[in-house]
Amino acid sequence: MKHYAGVDIGGTNMVIGIVDETGKTRKMVKIATQVQRGGEDVVARLAEAIERVKQEAQVEIEGVGIGVPGFVDHVKGTSVFAANLGWRDFPLADLLSARIGGLPVFVNNDVRMYVYGEATGGAGRGFNHVLGITVGTGMAAAMFNEGRLYYGSGGRAGELGHIALEGIDYVCNCGLTGCLETVASATGIARQAREAVERGESTVLAEKFPGEKAANITAADVSRAYDAGDPAAIAVLNRTGTLLGRGLATAITLFSPDLIVVGGGAAQAGERLLKPMREEMERAALSFYWKDLHIKPAELLEDAGVVGSALYAKGRLEAGVIL
C-alpha cells in the first residue's frame, strides 16, 4: 500500500501525518511553527518531522501535500501571501523537496485541503459536488467538483466570508463593511453575545461575565447558554445561522452542490446554528437548489487538513494534472 505525508501549517503549530492511500492516518505529530525564526527554519524542521513520522510509521512515502493559509500558487507550489506566517512568494514546495531527497511536494490553500479531505475521505464520500465551509475564527469555503477543486481567476475563489450582506454593519479586518464572517464565526458569535451583555439584556451570560469580563465570552459559552434556554444566546445563534443561510443561498445558486459540509470550531454549535441556516436557505433559494441538497457536519474534524493534503498529493501524482 502506498503512503503520503500530509501537512497542515498554521501560524502557531504545524501538524504532520502519514496517510495511506485509503485516507487512513498512520502516524501524526504536532510541532510549533515558530514563524519568527524565518521560513527556511520552518522548512528545515518540517523536513525533520516528516522523516520522524515516516520512521515511526515504518513506511516510505510517495510525496507530500501541504495546506498553507492565505493565497497560494498551487501550480508553482509557492505561498504567495500568508499574513500570519509573514510569507510572500515563498517557494515552499521547492525548498522542502530539496530537503527530503527530491520527493514531489504539492502546496495548496489550507481550507481547500480541509475540504478536499472531507470530500475524498470524510463526510463527502459518495458525492460529486461538495461545497465545504469552515466556521472558526473566520470563515472560508471551497468547492470540490467531480474530483477537482475550483479555484477561480488567480486562485481566489472561496472567500464566502467576505460577501457583504445587508443587516451586518461590522467593519471587517479586510476593510469592507458587512462581511459575513464578522457574524458567522466564533469571534462574531462571541462579539454579538458581548454586545447583548453590554446593552443590559437579561442573560445568564451577564451573570457569568459581568462588566469588563464580558470580553472573555466565547462561542462555546453562547452554545451552553443557548442550551440553558437563555433568550439572548438563542437570538445570537438564530441570527448567525440565518445570515449564514443567506450567504449559502447565494453559493448554492451559483455552484449547485449536492452536499454542504460544515466544519470548523464554531460549527460545533450543530443544530443550534444549522437549523436557522437551513430555514433561511430554503426561504432565499429556489427549491430545486435545496430540495435534494444534503448538509452534513465534518467527519475528520481536526485531521481533515492533514488527510486532505496527503490525498491531494496522491491525486496529483496519479492524475498527472492540477486537481
Side-chain angles (χ1 to χ4, degrees), residues 212-235:
E212 294 182 357
K213 291 184 178 181
N216 298 324
I217 295 172
T218 67
D221 294 319
V222 180
S223 289
R224 284 190 286 268
Y226 178 106
D227 292 340
D230 183 74
I234 292 171

Tab-separated table of all heavy atoms in Angstrom, residues 212-235:
chain	number	residue	atom	x	y	z
A	212	GLU	N	-16.424	44.201	32.624
A	212	GLU	CA	-15.345	44.019	31.664
A	212	GLU	C	-15.080	42.547	31.336
A	212	GLU	O	-14.443	42.233	30.323
A	212	GLU	CB	-14.066	44.667	32.189
A	212	GLU	CG	-14.149	46.189	32.309
A	212	GLU	CD	-12.854	46.796	32.782
A	212	GLU	OE1	-11.909	46.018	33.071
A	212	GLU	OE2	-12.773	48.029	32.864
A	213	LYS	N	-15.569	41.653	32.189
A	213	LYS	CA	-15.373	40.221	31.935
A	213	LYS	C	-16.146	39.739	30.710
A	213	LYS	O	-15.908	38.635	30.215
A	213	LYS	CB	-15.778	39.407	33.158
A	213	LYS	CG	-14.842	39.588	34.353
A	213	LYS	CD	-15.248	38.688	35.508
A	213	LYS	CE	-14.286	38.832	36.687
A	213	LYS	NZ	-14.650	37.957	37.821
A	214	ALA	N	-17.064	40.567	30.208
A	214	ALA	CA	-17.816	40.201	29.002
A	214	ALA	C	-16.887	39.974	27.811
A	214	ALA	O	-17.226	39.241	26.880
A	214	ALA	CB	-18.839	41.286	28.663
A	215	ALA	N	-15.699	40.579	27.867
A	215	ALA	CA	-14.726	40.392	26.786
A	215	ALA	C	-14.244	38.950	26.703
A	215	ALA	O	-13.658	38.544	25.691
A	215	ALA	CB	-13.543	41.334	26.983
A	216	ASN	N	-14.468	38.154	27.744
A	216	ASN	CA	-13.989	36.775	27.780
A	216	ASN	C	-15.007	35.763	27.257
A	216	ASN	O	-14.741	34.562	27.235
A	216	ASN	CB	-13.605	36.392	29.216
A	216	ASN	CG	-12.472	37.237	29.758
A	216	ASN	OD1	-11.550	37.608	29.026
A	216	ASN	ND2	-12.542	37.573	31.042
A	217	ILE	N	-16.182	36.231	26.862
A	217	ILE	CA	-17.216	35.315	26.341
A	217	ILE	C	-16.719	34.637	25.065
A	217	ILE	O	-16.139	35.276	24.180
A	217	ILE	CB	-18.521	36.082	26.055
A	217	ILE	CG1	-19.127	36.621	27.351
A	217	ILE	CG2	-19.538	35.179	25.345
A	217	ILE	CD1	-20.311	37.546	27.133
A	218	THR	N	-16.942	33.329	24.966
A	218	THR	CA	-16.578	32.574	23.768
A	218	THR	C	-17.828	32.021	23.095
A	218	THR	O	-18.923	32.005	23.684
A	218	THR	CB	-15.653	31.398	24.111
A	218	THR	OG1	-16.396	30.434	24.892
A	218	THR	CG2	-14.433	31.863	24.897
A	219	ALA	N	-17.670	31.538	21.868
A	219	ALA	CA	-18.789	30.917	21.158
A	219	ALA	C	-19.298	29.700	21.917
A	219	ALA	O	-20.508	29.427	21.927
A	219	ALA	CB	-18.357	30.535	19.747
A	220	ALA	N	-18.399	28.964	22.578
A	220	ALA	CA	-18.822	27.800	23.366
A	220	ALA	C	-19.701	28.229	24.536
A	220	ALA	O	-20.674	27.539	24.883
A	220	ALA	CB	-17.599	27.043	23.871
A	221	ASP	N	-19.394	29.370	25.161
A	221	ASP	CA	-20.233	29.894	26.239
A	221	ASP	C	-21.635	30.210	25.732
A	221	ASP	O	-22.629	29.970	26.414
A	221	ASP	CB	-19.608	31.168	26.834
A	221	ASP	CG	-18.299	30.905	27.546
A	221	ASP	OD1	-18.202	29.894	28.262
A	221	ASP	OD2	-17.372	31.727	27.389
A	222	VAL	N	-21.702	30.739	24.520
A	222	VAL	CA	-23.003	31.087	23.932
A	222	VAL	C	-23.817	29.818	23.682
A	222	VAL	O	-25.022	29.774	23.955
A	222	VAL	CB	-22.818	31.889	22.622
A	222	VAL	CG1	-24.176	32.239	22.017
A	222	VAL	CG2	-22.028	33.169	22.878
A	223	SER	N	-23.161	28.761	23.201
A	223	SER	CA	-23.864	27.494	22.975
A	223	SER	C	-24.402	26.917	24.280
A	223	SER	O	-25.536	26.417	24.330
A	223	SER	CB	-22.932	26.474	22.310
A	223	SER	OG	-22.674	26.824	20.967
A	224	ARG	N	-23.607	26.993	25.335
A	224	ARG	CA	-24.065	26.473	26.634
A	224	ARG	C	-25.248	27.292	27.158
A	224	ARG	O	-26.202	26.734	27.712
A	224	ARG	CB	-22.913	26.484	27.636
A	224	ARG	CG	-21.907	25.354	27.426
A	224	ARG	CD	-20.921	25.257	28.563
A	224	ARG	NE	-19.946	26.343	28.521
A	224	ARG	CZ	-18.777	26.256	27.905
A	224	ARG	NH1	-18.430	25.148	27.277
A	224	ARG	NH2	-17.933	27.271	27.942
A	225	ALA	N	-25.192	28.604	26.973
A	225	ALA	CA	-26.303	29.449	27.404
A	225	ALA	C	-27.556	29.156	26.576
A	225	ALA	O	-28.680	29.162	27.102
A	225	ALA	CB	-25.911	30.923	27.278
A	226	TYR	N	-27.367	28.879	25.286
A	226	TYR	CA	-28.484	28.500	24.412
A	226	TYR	C	-29.182	27.262	24.973
A	226	TYR	O	-30.415	27.202	25.065
A	226	TYR	CB	-27.929	28.225	23.017
A	226	TYR	CG	-28.938	27.779	21.971
A	226	TYR	CD1	-29.361	28.644	20.976
A	226	TYR	CD2	-29.444	26.479	21.971
A	226	TYR	CE1	-30.265	28.236	20.005
A	226	TYR	CE2	-30.355	26.061	21.009
A	226	TYR	CZ	-30.750	26.944	20.022
A	226	TYR	OH	-31.643	26.536	19.070
A	227	ASP	N	-28.381	26.262	25.367
A	227	ASP	CA	-28.938	25.011	25.887
A	227	ASP	C	-29.680	25.215	27.209
A	227	ASP	O	-30.565	24.428	27.562
A	227	ASP	CB	-27.828	23.974	26.088
A	227	ASP	CG	-27.239	23.512	24.770
A	227	ASP	OD1	-27.902	23.685	23.730
A	227	ASP	OD2	-26.108	22.980	24.781
A	228	ALA	N	-29.309	26.281	27.926
A	228	ALA	CA	-29.987	26.595	29.179
A	228	ALA	C	-31.252	27.426	28.956
A	228	ALA	O	-31.907	27.825	29.920
A	228	ALA	CB	-29.034	27.351	30.114
A	229	GLY	N	-31.565	27.677	27.676
A	229	GLY	CA	-32.783	28.428	27.358
A	229	GLY	C	-32.621	29.930	27.423
A	229	GLY	O	-33.622	30.665	27.471
A	230	ASP	N	-31.394	30.409	27.413
A	230	ASP	CA	-31.152	31.850	27.514
A	230	ASP	C	-31.617	32.563	26.248
A	230	ASP	O	-31.153	32.237	25.141
A	230	ASP	CB	-29.661	32.095	27.728
A	230	ASP	CG	-29.345	33.560	27.920
A	230	ASP	OD1	-29.650	34.083	28.998
A	230	ASP	OD2	-28.815	34.185	26.979
A	231	PRO	N	-32.531	33.542	26.358
A	231	PRO	CA	-33.091	34.180	25.162
A	231	PRO	C	-32.062	34.955	24.348
A	231	PRO	O	-32.147	34.989	23.109
A	231	PRO	CB	-34.178	35.114	25.727
A	231	PRO	CG	-33.832	35.305	27.163
A	231	PRO	CD	-33.170	34.042	27.595
A	232	ALA	N	-31.096	35.593	25.001
A	232	ALA	CA	-30.080	36.356	24.267
A	232	ALA	C	-29.197	35.419	23.447
A	232	ALA	O	-28.882	35.701	22.276
A	232	ALA	CB	-29.242	37.184	25.226
A	233	ALA	N	-28.786	34.303	24.042
A	233	ALA	CA	-27.949	33.339	23.326
A	233	ALA	C	-28.714	32.717	22.160
A	233	ALA	O	-28.158	32.519	21.069
A	233	ALA	CB	-27.469	32.253	24.285
A	234	ILE	N	-29.992	32.428	22.390
A	234	ILE	CA	-30.824	31.878	21.309
A	234	ILE	C	-30.923	32.873	20.164
A	234	ILE	O	-30.807	32.516	18.984
A	234	ILE	CB	-32.224	31.504	21.849
A	234	ILE	CG1	-32.110	30.310	22.801
A	234	ILE	CG2	-33.178	31.192	20.697
A	234	ILE	CD1	-33.390	30.000	23.561
A	235	ALA	N	-31.099	34.146	20.488
A	235	ALA	CA	-31.205	35.182	19.466
A	235	ALA	C	-29.911	35.314	18.669
A	235	ALA	O	-29.932	35.479	17.441
A	235	ALA	CB	-31.568	36.522	20.108
